[in-house]
Amino acid sequence: MSTELPPVAPEVLAEAVENLTARLRKKLDDATAGCADAATREADGSVTFRFGEDALVTLRPGPAGTVTEAGQATCTCLLAPRCLHRAAALGAAPLADAAPPEPEPAAPAAAAQTTAAEPAEPAGAPDAEPADPAGPAPALTAAQLGAAAALWHAAAEALTAGVNAGGAVVQAELLRAAHTARLAGLPRAEAAALRVVRGLRAARERRTAHRLGDLTGSFRELLHTAGVLASGTAHAALTGTSRRAYTPGGSLQVQGLCREPVLSATGYGGVVTHLLAPDGTRYSVSDVRPGGLARARGAGRASVALGGATLDHAGLARGGLRIVGATVSPEGRLGAGRGVKATPLPGAAWTDGPAAPLFARPAAEAVAALLAAPAEAADTETALIGCDVTVVGAAGDHLLVRESGPHAPLLRLLPAHPHPELPHTENLRRIASYPGLRLRVLGRPDLDRAATLRPVAVGPVPGAQYTLRLPEEWLGRADLGYDRLQGEHFPPSDAAAAAAGEAGPLPAADVPDPLADAPLWRVRRLLETGVAGGRRAVAEAARGEAAPAAYGPLRRAGLTAAADLAAALAAEADRRPRDAFGRLADPSPDGYAWAWLAAATHLAAAERSLVAASWTATPNGATPAAP
């Protein structure tokens, strides 16, 4: 069993690789492979790696459990610290988050406060101009422009190399550029670069959780962010904020909506509880710290550290709070400063109070509002929508349900978190065994899939006979990440047959999927080919007699822009002019990166339109087909 390695700050790894000679850099990938299996944890908490007889690398993480300084990584060989052993050991360890969590400083409620309570993506700065949710275009400094240009170049080089050639050296260049962006005050760009590096690592290590489509999206976001920033025309939301600024929120009264576990790829775990104010404003209280899965599972009943409230997260999710001297971040996260005072309130069912409007409008309207928001300002990761549905049955890896209402569309339910140790998947599997069951669902729409919702909580439909029967103390909802549905929570089987007939189950083959049916998959495959195999793989795909005809289905479907952009990408990938001596006349990767980004951006917009259409039903109740 391999030893768990301490996270390493990106800049520490980047510096270690940069100090290697060209000869040692060629050996780095081979030296890094297998390091984790050879690691040993010592009694003092350090981790050691043995390289032969004379080389022993030691990682001594700081109090937070992270290697944040070069001096915390040492080697006994003669070349240290510019040695291959030290760089390989650092490269085998996971990357630390850009800004490690810090406790919120104790400060009076009247003062603005800052915290980084959990490892989340930097949020956009609050907008002073209501006419543009993405914020005004800020004047970037020379240092920011230079950092953005350097990050663009590193990202373009990484895209040109692809996963196959995107080893430790390519990753280190990205990490160095990301660190420069952080120092220049561009945390969103840094976070995008770290996602790409983690994706490259996962792909090269063939991890089961890796998805090539996710890495493609990460490359698109990084290139877009760096390119727009380098042009000097970025909105304020695109620069991001490295820490959440808490401002005075006065007195608040909030009701619990649900809770869900948080489990990050960087070893953090915990819980976030969603809250609603009487006017519909959304808030949250989170408790996320290092600890991974064990902490995510146990945090559901951890005490709420907010103004001395005697509640745990399970009680808050079904209760309420009256808060005096509240502090609130731009995303609605409630702070726990010294001046905050909180008093518990009785809970309310979803049918009463501020939660009721969440289920009053069709899901399509709520999704349309999310899709209409600018990409830089939309908070799609935390947005929750509600709807009443009827269970159709399981179909592949998802659960089919039909939204209540005339001519309503079929929706797909997927686990909010697929980890087998969390009960999301098990709960959905049990629900799928009750066709015709009426269900009230609160979930997060998956905007990368057609009509897909990832539920975090469910409850009975008011007035329905064939629906859930939950304990009174649950106040009419079950948190799918913590509560486990049992047979006693479902209606008796003698009512199942009639309800299943009313649901009218449909075979999975009869459910259209606009994304799968549209010929846009040809563009997606070309982009993913470039991410996996680099520029050379795209150029190879562009050659041959069948290549020009591959875009015919796109043109016949009216997707001429997608066909033109894909053809331009293939042509640019194969464009390698050379001088009279056979040297590359234009070695810059910029042209290829811009062509790839143009095709990826158009594809994302086209798929977003198809996703929006999939939430709207046609007169016969079926989801609209793709063009």
Side-chain angles (χ1 to χ4, degrees):
M1 181 176 180
S2 61
T3 301
E4 183 177 355
L5 304 182
V8 173
E11 61 270 19
V12 174
L13 174 58
E15 181 184 11
V17 176
E18 185 180 4
N19 289 335
L20 296 178
T21 63
R23 181 179 63 86
L24 292 180
R25 290 188 184 187
K26 295 178 181 179
K27 300 180 179 181
L28 183 56
D29 287 332
D30 292 336
T32 302
C35 274
D37 296 331
T40 303
R41 182 168 293 278
E42 306 297 337
D44 60 355
S46 63
V47 177
T48 58
F49 304 79
R50 172 67 66 180
F51 292 87
E53 294 291 334
D54 302 323
L56 181 68
V57 177
T58 303
L59 302 184
R60 294 184 176 88
T66 302
V67 177
T68 57
E69 300 177 1
Q72 294 174 336
T74 60
C75 181
T76 59
C77 78
L78 296 178
L79 292 179
R82 301 173 179 270
C83 64
L84 180 64
H85 316 115
R86 181 173 173 271
L90 289 171
L95 286 178
D97 288 299
E102 302 174 7
E104 183 179 0
Q113 303 182 34
T114 59
T115 185
E118 68 174 71
E121 304 305 333
D127 184 13
E129 297 293 335
D132 187 357
L140 299 183
T141 65
Q144 289 176 322
L145 291 173
L151 187 58
W152 164 267
H153 181 74
E157 291 284 2
L159 178 68
T160 301
V163 171
N164 293 341
V169 175
V170 172
Q171 296 170 26
E173 292 297 324
L174 270 175
L175 293 178
R176 183 175 61 175
H179 182 59
T180 303
R182 178 184 180 185
L183 296 179
L186 301 174
R188 177 163 179 164
E190 180 203 19
L194 293 184
R195 279 193 295 273
V196 168
V197 173
R198 290 191 177 106
L200 286 172
R201 285 187 165 194
R204 290 177 62 83
E205 295 170 8
R206 303 182 186 277
R207 300 178 193 169
T208 55
H210 164 69
R211 291 181 63 246
L212 187 58
D214 292 339
L215 181 55
T216 302
S218 297
F219 262 112
R220 183 186 69 245
E221 181 182 357
L222 173 58
L223 289 168
H224 168 73
T225 302
V228 175
L229 287 173
S231 71
T233 60
H235 287 286
L238 203 60
T239 60
T241 54
S242 58
R243 305 183 72 188
R244 296 185 178 94
Y246 282 73
T247 57
S251 297
L252 295 175
Q253 181 173 319
V254 293
Q255 287 288 335
L257 188 60
C258 66
R259 60 185 166 142
E260 62 174 320
V262 176
L263 184 61
S264 78
T266 53
Y268 287 85
V271 63
V272 58
T273 298
H274 300 276
L275 309 166
L276 275 177
D279 62 356
T281 303
R282 305 190 184 196
Y283 299 95
S284 64
V285 174
S286 66
D287 180 6
V288 181
R289 301 175 187 175
L293 176 64
R295 194 169 195 289
R297 296 174 62 182
R301 290 197 171 273
S303 298
V304 176
L306 184 65
T310 57
L311 278 177
D312 59 15
H313 281 271
L316 179 58
R318 296 183 173 94
L321 285 176
R322 180 179 287 111
I323 307 172
V324 178
T327 57
V328 187
S329 76
E331 311 88 48
R333 198 175 305 278
L334 296 177
R338 186 178 60 188
V340 179
K341 304 296 180 183
T343 304
L345 295 174
W350 282 352
T351 54
D352 304 321
L358 292 176
F359 306 93
R361 63 172 177 172
E365 294 184 10
V367 173
L370 288 175
L371 292 171
E376 292 82 3
D379 192 12
T380 57
E381 291 298 321
T382 58
L384 297 177
I385 67 172
C387 59
D388 292 347
V389 301
T390 301
V391 174
V392 174
D397 63 344
H398 54 264
L399 169 62
L400 281 178
V401 298
R402 186 181 295 281
E403 187 179 3
S404 300
H407 310 308
L410 281 167
L411 307 180
R412 299 165 177 83
L413 302 188
L414 286 176
H417 202 297
H419 198 287
E421 296 297 324
L422 296 175
H424 293 96
T425 302
E426 179 185 343
N427 283 330
L428 286 185
R429 187 180 297 116
R430 186 175 288 272
I431 291 173
S433 63
Y434 289 84
L437 183 74
R438 299 289 305 283
L439 202 64
R440 176 157 283 189
V441 178
L442 184 70
R444 184 174 295 106
D446 188 337
L447 301 183
D448 293 327
R449 295 172 179 259
T452 300
L453 191 66
R454 296 185 180 269
V456 298
V458 296
V461 175
Q465 295 297 319
Y466 192 64
T467 188
L468 291 176
R469 301 184 178 185
L470 302 179
E472 291 185 6
E473 59 270 22
W474 286 16
L475 282 181
R477 67 260 204 182
D479 298 326
L480 295 179
Y482 289 106
D483 301 321
R484 293 186 181 271
L485 296 175
Q486 306 294 336
E488 61 188 14
H489 299 143
F490 293 88
S493 57
D494 56 2
E502 295 177 3
L506 295 177
D510 291 343
V511 182
D513 186 336
L515 291 184
D517 297 342
L520 287 171
W521 65 266
R522 301 171 187 273
V523 183
R524 190 184 312 116
R525 185 173 64 180
L526 183 65
L527 294 171
E528 293 180 353
T529 296
V531 171
R535 178 173 183 166
R536 179 177 298 179
V538 176
E540 290 292 338
R543 298 168 186 162
E545 297 180 358
Y551 308 120
L554 287 168
R555 300 186 188 281
R556 289 192 293 272
L559 301 171
T560 55
D564 292 341
L565 290 171
L569 170 61
E572 179 62 30
D574 202 28
R575 188 185 67 84
R576 305 287 293 212
R578 297 182 181 273
D579 60 18
F581 299 98
R583 297 170 299 190
L584 286 177
D586 182 17
S588 172
D590 287 356
Y592 171 73
W594 281 118
W596 188 95
L597 179 58
T601 301
H602 182 274
L603 175 66
E607 291 183 335
R608 204 173 180 89
S609 298
L610 291 175
V611 168
S614 70
W615 287 84
T616 304
T618 57
N620 63 359
T623 307

